[in-house]
PDB file of all heavy atoms in Angstrom:
ATOM      1  N   ASN A 272      -7.015  29.722   8.707  1.00  0.00           N
ATOM      2  CA  ASN A 272      -6.459  31.035   8.290  1.00  0.00           C
ATOM      3  C   ASN A 272      -7.478  31.916   7.696  1.00  0.00           C
ATOM      4  O   ASN A 272      -7.232  33.048   7.305  1.00  0.00           O
ATOM      5  CB  ASN A 272      -5.271  30.938   7.380  1.00  0.00           C
ATOM      6  CG  ASN A 272      -3.981  30.265   7.977  1.00  0.00           C
ATOM      7  OD1 ASN A 272      -3.821  30.273   9.173  1.00  0.00           O
ATOM      8  ND2 ASN A 272      -3.380  29.481   7.105  1.00  0.00           N
ATOM      9  N   GLY A 273      -8.749  31.548   7.700  1.00  0.00           N
ATOM     10  CA  GLY A 273      -9.862  32.311   7.236  1.00  0.00           C
ATOM     11  C   GLY A 273      -9.857  32.520   5.676  1.00  0.00           C
ATOM     12  O   GLY A 273     -10.433  33.519   5.240  1.00  0.00           O
ATOM     13  N   GLU A 274      -9.201  31.672   4.954  1.00  0.00           N
ATOM     14  CA  GLU A 274      -9.046  31.776   3.520  1.00  0.00           C
ATOM     15  C   GLU A 274     -10.382  31.312   2.877  1.00  0.00           C
ATOM     16  O   GLU A 274     -11.042  30.361   3.340  1.00  0.00           O
ATOM     17  CB  GLU A 274      -7.894  31.043   2.965  1.00  0.00           C
ATOM     18  CG  GLU A 274      -6.506  31.444   3.529  1.00  0.00           C
ATOM     19  CD  GLU A 274      -5.412  30.442   3.311  1.00  0.00           C
ATOM     20  OE1 GLU A 274      -5.641  29.613   2.461  1.00  0.00           O
ATOM     21  OE2 GLU A 274      -4.312  30.707   3.777  1.00  0.00           O
ATOM     22  N   THR A 275     -10.763  31.926   1.780  1.00  0.00           N
ATOM     23  CA  THR A 275     -12.069  31.673   1.162  1.00  0.00           C
ATOM     24  C   THR A 275     -11.910  30.911  -0.139  1.00  0.00           C
ATOM     25  O   THR A 275     -12.881  30.471  -0.732  1.00  0.00           O
ATOM     26  CB  THR A 275     -12.864  33.004   0.864  1.00  0.00           C
ATOM     27  OG1 THR A 275     -12.007  33.845  -0.012  1.00  0.00           O
ATOM     28  CG2 THR A 275     -13.112  33.862   2.117  1.00  0.00           C
ATOM     29  N   SER A 276     -10.645  30.526  -0.533  1.00  0.00           N
ATOM     30  CA  SER A 276     -10.538  29.761  -1.701  1.00  0.00           C
ATOM     31  C   SER A 276      -9.336  28.880  -1.533  1.00  0.00           C
ATOM     32  O   SER A 276      -8.326  29.268  -0.840  1.00  0.00           O
ATOM     33  CB  SER A 276     -10.325  30.613  -3.008  1.00  0.00           C
ATOM     34  OG  SER A 276      -9.106  31.292  -3.039  1.00  0.00           O
ATOM     35  N   VAL A 277      -9.331  27.724  -2.293  1.00  0.00           N
ATOM     36  CA  VAL A 277      -8.190  26.761  -2.315  1.00  0.00           C
ATOM     37  C   VAL A 277      -8.061  26.453  -3.731  1.00  0.00           C
ATOM     38  O   VAL A 277      -8.947  26.198  -4.471  1.00  0.00           O
ATOM     39  CB  VAL A 277      -8.542  25.437  -1.422  1.00  0.00           C
ATOM     40  CG1 VAL A 277      -7.657  24.375  -1.723  1.00  0.00           C
ATOM     41  CG2 VAL A 277      -8.452  25.720   0.072  1.00  0.00           C
ATOM     42  N   GLU A 278      -6.726  26.368  -4.075  1.00  0.00           N
ATOM     43  CA  GLU A 278      -6.330  25.992  -5.515  1.00  0.00           C
ATOM     44  C   GLU A 278      -6.165  24.560  -5.599  1.00  0.00           C
ATOM     45  O   GLU A 278      -5.551  23.972  -4.957  1.00  0.00           O
ATOM     46  CB  GLU A 278      -4.941  26.788  -5.921  1.00  0.00           C
ATOM     47  CG  GLU A 278      -4.650  26.599  -7.337  1.00  0.00           C
ATOM     48  CD  GLU A 278      -3.269  27.404  -7.583  1.00  0.00           C
ATOM     49  OE1 GLU A 278      -2.298  26.747  -7.364  1.00  0.00           O
ATOM     50  OE2 GLU A 278      -3.369  28.498  -7.968  1.00  0.00           O
ATOM     51  N   ILE A 279      -6.632  24.045  -6.838  1.00  0.00           N
ATOM     52  CA  ILE A 279      -6.545  22.803  -7.320  1.00  0.00           C
ATOM     53  C   ILE A 279      -5.699  22.688  -8.619  1.00  0.00           C
ATOM     54  O   ILE A 279      -5.843  23.565  -9.417  1.00  0.00           O
ATOM     55  CB  ILE A 279      -7.827  22.132  -7.553  1.00  0.00           C
ATOM     56  CG1 ILE A 279      -8.728  22.126  -6.297  1.00  0.00           C
ATOM     57  CG2 ILE A 279      -7.706  20.564  -7.988  1.00  0.00           C
ATOM     58  CD1 ILE A 279     -10.153  21.432  -6.527  1.00  0.00           C
ATOM     59  N   TRP A 280      -4.721  21.893  -8.643  1.00  0.00           N
ATOM     60  CA  TRP A 280      -3.763  21.763  -9.749  1.00  0.00           C
ATOM     61  C   TRP A 280      -4.633  21.043 -10.864  1.00  0.00           C
ATOM     62  O   TRP A 280      -5.289  19.992 -10.709  1.00  0.00           O
ATOM     63  CB  TRP A 280      -2.635  20.881  -9.538  1.00  0.00           C
ATOM     64  CG  TRP A 280      -1.524  21.661  -8.753  1.00  0.00           C
ATOM     65  CD1 TRP A 280      -1.672  22.702  -8.085  1.00  0.00           C
ATOM     66  CD2 TRP A 280      -0.103  21.230  -8.830  1.00  0.00           C
ATOM     67  NE1 TRP A 280      -0.351  23.124  -7.505  1.00  0.00           N
ATOM     68  CE2 TRP A 280       0.560  22.204  -8.020  1.00  0.00           C
ATOM     69  CE3 TRP A 280       0.591  20.206  -9.354  1.00  0.00           C
ATOM     70  CZ2 TRP A 280       1.955  22.215  -7.780  1.00  0.00           C
ATOM     71  CZ3 TRP A 280       1.956  20.183  -9.099  1.00  0.00           C
ATOM     72  CH2 TRP A 280       2.560  21.199  -8.371  1.00  0.00           C
ATOM     73  N   GLY A 281      -4.549  21.614 -12.168  1.00  0.00           N
ATOM     74  CA  GLY A 281      -5.329  21.169 -13.276  1.00  0.00           C
ATOM     75  C   GLY A 281      -6.738  21.464 -13.092  1.00  0.00           C
ATOM     76  O   GLY A 281      -7.329  22.203 -12.249  1.00  0.00           O
ATOM     77  N   ASP A 282      -7.636  20.724 -13.886  1.00  0.00           N
ATOM     78  CA  ASP A 282      -9.079  20.946 -13.956  1.00  0.00           C
ATOM     79  C   ASP A 282      -9.795  20.038 -12.860  1.00  0.00           C
ATOM     80  O   ASP A 282     -11.011  20.233 -12.776  1.00  0.00           O
ATOM     81  CB  ASP A 282      -9.612  20.817 -15.256  1.00  0.00           C
ATOM     82  CG  ASP A 282      -9.513  19.368 -15.915  1.00  0.00           C
ATOM     83  OD1 ASP A 282      -9.117  18.507 -15.059  1.00  0.00           O
ATOM     84  OD2 ASP A 282      -9.804  19.199 -17.028  1.00  0.00           O
ATOM     85  N   GLY A 283      -9.031  19.232 -12.172  1.00  0.00           N
ATOM     86  CA  GLY A 283      -9.628  18.423 -11.072  1.00  0.00           C
ATOM     87  C   GLY A 283     -10.517  17.196 -11.633  1.00  0.00           C
ATOM     88  O   GLY A 283     -11.093  16.546 -10.784  1.00  0.00           O
TER      89      GLY A 283
END
Side-chain angles (χ1 to χ4, degrees):
N272 299 327
E274 297 166 7
T275 58
S276 69
V277 163
E278 183 182 88
I279 298 174
W280 280 21
D282 62 9

